[in-house]
Amino acid sequence: QVQLVESGGGLVQAGGSLRLSCAASGLTFSSYAMGWFRQAPGKEREFVARIGSNGASTLHADSVKGRFTISRDNAKNTGYLQMNSLKPEDTAVYYCAAKTAAPPYEYKYWGQGTQVTVSS
């Protein structure tokens, strides 16, 4: 059974930092690209960042570029999202997802989400 479990969310003041973790089990983690998404109340889920299966390539949304950094440790089957200089508009539930390495290249597995709240 595949599981992705996020942790590290919480309440932080604007300008602060948090590091989210995504622990994977039940799949060959190193074979999957990984992504982070977020969904704020009343808004659609949006892409935050993704990282290739071996960690060599990353992509960050413009809204978080320069503030957030995605990474992974395949030996620990864990992905990370380091979030610095947090803003109130970063408040959302953050989800990690694993993307298949073969067509249709979809985010097949999702975690349950972790709440991040940034106070002004």
Side-chain angles (χ1 to χ4, degrees):
Q1 180 183 357
V2 175
Q3 280 193 311
L4 300 179
V5 180
E6 301 97 336
S7 61
L11 174 64
V12 64
Q13 288 189 330
S17 298
L18 285 173
R19 188 176 82 152
L20 304 184
S21 298
C22 174
S25 61
L27 76 169
T28 305
F29 183 65
S30 59
S31 296
Y32 289 78
M34 200 192 80
W36 285 93
F37 295 78
R38 66 186 182 186
Q39 187 166 21
K43 295 188 176 181
E44 293 188 353
R45 185 174 61 197
E46 66 170 343
F47 167 80
V48 175
R50 70 158 172 79
I51 186 167
S53 58
N54 63 3
S57 66
T58 62
L59 178 68
H60 296 78
D62 288 343
S63 58
V64 306
K65 199 172 294 183
R67 299 187 300 121
F68 292 10
T69 303
I70 190 171
S71 64
R72 66 190 296 161
D73 185 340
N74 285 345
K76 296 182 178 180
N77 288 345
T78 302
Y80 304 97
L81 185 68
Q82 178 67 43
M83 305 187 297
N84 299 328
S85 302
L86 283 160
K87 305 175 181 180
E89 52 263 44
D90 294 319
T91 294
V93 177
Y94 284 71
Y95 301 90
C96 67
K99 187 176 186 180
T100 56
Y105 302 108
E106 62 182 357
Y107 284 99
K108 185 173 183 180
Y109 303 110
W110 292 81
Q112 82 290 347
T114 185
Q115 176 70 47
V116 171
T117 302
V118 184
S119 63
S120 56

